[in-house]
């Protein structure tokens, strides 16, 4: 009796074989970073303006008049500054006995809890290219009645060209690292298989929402004396660029 042995070929799609071969190709993976220091060209100054009155309208008028005087003073230092309002609020003011006896519970506006006045507050932000004068702007805002004037931060208005320089430097450093690894390993460095940008920092987009209070007619304030100058030399803005480069190894 004869026996026949059937041989069935094992078939694998060529695309799978090619992909498997590609994934198994020897390679060198390096990561590199470049930090580009640049002097900031923008500053952000912020402050609050407070107004008080027996009615809400009086409180708002006082706040607006003070704000207008501050804005006029700041524009005398940097005419191109972008002055924006971020928040505005009006609060009722009651007597001290009401605050002592209610402990945060709901209260009626009668008796010891009758409303005796109002406060109005607005949060302002100034973005200016006069970086060297930012400290003087804080000084002048404080003199003109601003509450808690301060420099929030320095930044770059545009960093695309700086990032291009950083990418070029990071790639050059990555190549030097890969060449050193190849020499030490006794292999020949091939071409680049892939490059990944690992950077995340940057100036970022900014909120364009603007809230303004209704301007009220007010007598122009008297011209203030020269502000106290504050000399500033802000630290450089460091733009960090990170890359990961995958090199092939030549056979």
């Amino acid at each position: 009796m004869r026996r026949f042995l059937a041989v069935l070929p094992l078939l694998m799609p060529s695309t799978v074989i090619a992909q498997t071969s590609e994934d198994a190709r020897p390679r060198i993976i390096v990561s590199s970073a470049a930090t580009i220091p640049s002097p900031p060209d923008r500053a952000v100054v912020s402050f609050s303006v407070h107004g008080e009155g027996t009615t809400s309208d009086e409180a708002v008028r006082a706040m607006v008049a003070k704000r207008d005087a501050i804005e006029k003073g700041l524009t005398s230092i940097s005419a191109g500054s972008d002055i924006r309002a971020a928040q505005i609020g009006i609060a009722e003011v009651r007597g001290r006995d009401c605050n002592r006896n209610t402990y945060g519970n709901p209260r009626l506006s009668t008796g010891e809890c009758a409303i005796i006045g109002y406060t109005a507050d607005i949060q302002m932000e100034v973005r200016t290219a006069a970086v060297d004068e930012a400290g003087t702007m804080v000084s002048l805002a404080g003199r003109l009645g601003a509450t808690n004037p301060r420099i929030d931060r320095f930044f770059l208005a545009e960093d695309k060209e700086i990032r291009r320089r950083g990418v070029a430097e990071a790639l050059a450093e990555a190549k030097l690292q890969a060449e050193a690894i190849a020499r030490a390993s006794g292999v020949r460095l091939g071409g680049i298989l892939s490059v990944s940008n690992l950077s995340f920092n940057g100036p970022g987009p900014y909120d364009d929402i603007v809230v303004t209070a209704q301007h009220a007619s007010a007598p122009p304030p008297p011209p203030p004396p020269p502000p106290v100058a504050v000399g500033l030399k802000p630290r450089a803005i460091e733009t960090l660029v990170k890359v990961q480069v995958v090199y092939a190894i030549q056979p």
Side-chain angles (χ1 to χ4, degrees), residues 8 16 27 42-43 55 91 110 123 139 209 224 228 239:
L8 300 177
V16 176
R27 61 190 64 192
R42 295 291 187 276
T55 67
T110 58
Q123 179 70 34
S139 171
I209 297 176
V228 178
T239 302

Side-chain angles (χ1 to χ4, degrees), residues 202-217:
Y206 294 106
D207 188 5
D208 289 331
I209 297 176
V210 180
V211 181
T212 58
Q214 181 67 35
H215 285 266
S217 298

Side-chain angles (χ1 to χ4, degrees), residues 166-226:
V167 169
E169 291 188 15
L171 288 175
E173 174 62 25
K175 184 177 181 181
L176 292 176
Q177 291 184 33
E179 289 173 344
I181 293 173
R183 285 195 302 269
S185 303
V187 298
R188 290 198 305 160
L189 189 66
I192 294 177
L193 297 177
S194 67
V195 177
S196 301
N197 190 339
L198 307 179
S199 305
F200 296 101
N201 72 322
Y206 294 106
D207 188 5
D208 289 331
I209 297 176
V210 180
V211 181
T212 58
Q214 181 67 35
H215 285 266
S217 298

